[in-house]
Amino acid sequence: AKSAGGNRCETADPELDARAITSHGLTTALPAALERGEFFIEYQPLVHMDDGSVHGAEALVRWSHPQHGILGPDQFIPLAERTGLIVPLGRWVLQEAVRQARYWQEHHTEGGPLRINVNLSPAQLQHPGLVTDTVAVLERSGLAPGVLCLEVTESALIGADETLLRPLRQLAEMGVDIALDDFGTGYSNLANLRRLPVSVLKLDRSFTQGMQQLPVDPVDLKIVEGIVSLAHSLELAVTVEGVETGAQADRLRELGCDTAQGWYYARPGPPELLHALSLADAI
Ligand code: C2E
Ligand code: CA
Ligand code: CA
Ligand code: CA
């Protein structure tokens, strides 16, 4: 299930950072951009490490800006968070991604439905409409809640109280998977994991970077091994991010990671990328 995929998110204007965007007055451009349909989603496959089959895909938003070209999420998500636009933008991403997952379900039945992962920002977590919006999107699409996985960063949940956890708990009870994204970067108390309504741990790329080339630092191996066994003992699945080489994939498979994501398998790309991959699996 290895494919190069496209790398369409090379930004036309790499010098442009969040600060530059602000000074260009793009803050006011964000809502109009949503109305004009300038945002689009790339999908990056998640594969099962044991046999390389496709498990699903993560939705990653991009902005096709009329002057600056294609902007990556790091260039506008922080701004969208500060201005509150993240709520309608996030709702659009969810709706679009769920619609796409429904399409995959109708057209590619081999091996069960492709899961869809959608990122949730802290502002969306705090928004009172999260549960009703999500339920409405799922109901309108006819997609089973179990096909959706919402990714929340570890840092967003550090010290989270019940008010913040309740909506996630409600969604989890409906069958939506909740993944703890960028795990390992937030210094959270591991024992804390038990009280979070999460079913998937996404191990941050910083853990896998050291495994690109051999020999691998034995301490790195021990750390990942420990996290995987802890996760499994709490009945959490482990996804690894940023797998770029075959050597890395081999190590991480040996360490018991369940699913993986990274350039080695496929870069984020248009939804058709998933058709090609899942058809290849079925053959
Ligand atoms: P993330 O959720 O940790 O997503 C993974 C990032 O790693 C993506 O960057 C992806 O393109 C990149 N990546 C995947 N495989 C590899 C690899 O093998 N090597 C390397 N070096 N990188 C890899 P991207 O698309 O630029 O997204 C950056 C971040 O923006 C995401 O990090 C996520 O936190 C945020 N984001 C993206 N889409 C959304 C969205 O719809 N809503 C919200 N709230 N945040 C989003
Ligand atoms: Ca993510
Ligand atoms: Ca991540
Ligand atoms: Ca990350």
Side-chain angles (χ1 to χ4, degrees):
K2 213 174 84 180
S3 161
N7 184 21
R8 307 196 315 151
C9 198
E10 294 296 353
T11 55
D13 196 349
E15 302 291 292
L16 202 70
D17 62 11
R19 237 172 344 148
I21 290 179
T22 314
S23 65
H24 278 78
L26 293 196
T27 309
T28 49
L30 271 169
L34 186 58
E35 263 173 43
R36 280 198 298 265
E38 290 174 5
F39 294 99
F40 67 101
I41 300 177
E42 287 195 318
Y43 296 88
Q44 185 177 37
L46 272 82
V47 304
H48 290 287
M49 292 214 90
D50 51 4
D51 63 1
S53 63
V54 180
H55 173 71
E58 177 174 4
L60 297 160
V61 69
R62 282 87 179 81
W63 180 2
S64 179
H65 190 279
Q67 277 91 48
H68 300 294
I70 294 174
L71 305 180
D74 293 337
Q75 293 171 296
F76 61 85
I77 291 284
L79 193 67
E81 291 233 14
R82 284 201 299 277
T83 58
L85 188 82
I86 192 68
V87 172
L89 177 60
R91 201 185 290 132
W92 177 81
V93 171
L94 177 72
Q95 204 172 300
E96 184 60 20
V98 161
R99 194 192 55 71
Q100 185 59 53
R102 176 68 187 172
Y103 178 88
W104 287 329
Q105 189 170 59
E106 279 166 8
H107 293 82
H108 305 275
T109 47
E110 321 270 338
L114 291 179
R115 309 301 184 85
I116 184 74
N117 286 35
V118 175
N119 292 285
L120 273 193
S121 80
Q124 287 174 276
L125 258 187
Q126 278 156 21
H127 189 263
L130 176 67
V131 176
T132 41
D133 282 353
T134 308
V135 170
V137 166
L138 284 171
E139 277 178 355
R140 238 178 300 143
S141 74
L143 201 75
V147 177
L148 176 66
C149 176
L150 296 174
E151 302 193 358
V152 184
T153 61
E154 185 190 13
S155 54
L157 290 188
I158 286 179
D161 60 10
E162 228 4 75
T163 337
L164 206 66
L165 294 180
R166 195 172 304 123
L168 287 183
R169 225 181 276 292
Q170 273 174 275
L171 290 166
E173 275 160 18
M174 284 168 42
V176 174
D177 271 321
I178 310 291
L180 202 53
D181 203 356
D182 298 348
F183 183 78
T185 58
Y187 308 101
S188 65
N189 179 349
L190 290 180
N192 228 344
L193 280 177
R194 295 176 61 131
R195 60 175 205 103
L196 300 179
V198 299
S199 48
V200 182
L201 249 180
K202 287 192 85 172
L203 201 56
D204 191 70
R205 186 152 56 87
S206 54
F207 285 100
T208 54
Q209 252 163 359
M211 295 183 195
Q212 278 171 23
Q213 259 95 43
L214 302 175
V216 174
D217 182 344
V219 177
D220 278 358
L221 287 177
K222 281 279 173 224
I223 292 172
V224 174
E225 197 174 18
I227 292 175
V228 171
S229 89
L230 172 92
H232 285 167
S233 69
L234 294 171
E235 292 176 350
L236 303 176
V238 178
T239 301
V240 281
E241 303 185 317
V243 179
E244 295 184 6
T245 70
Q248 247 177 320
D250 291 342
R251 290 298 86 67
L252 292 160
R253 186 184 311 106
E254 283 160 18
L255 292 172
C257 296
D258 303 292
T259 49
Q261 201 177 341
W263 297 347
Y264 172 65
Y265 301 100
R267 293 193 181 231
E272 296 75 38
L273 169 73
L274 267 290
H275 300 188
L277 288 177
S278 49
L279 283 177
D281 275 341
I283 291 165

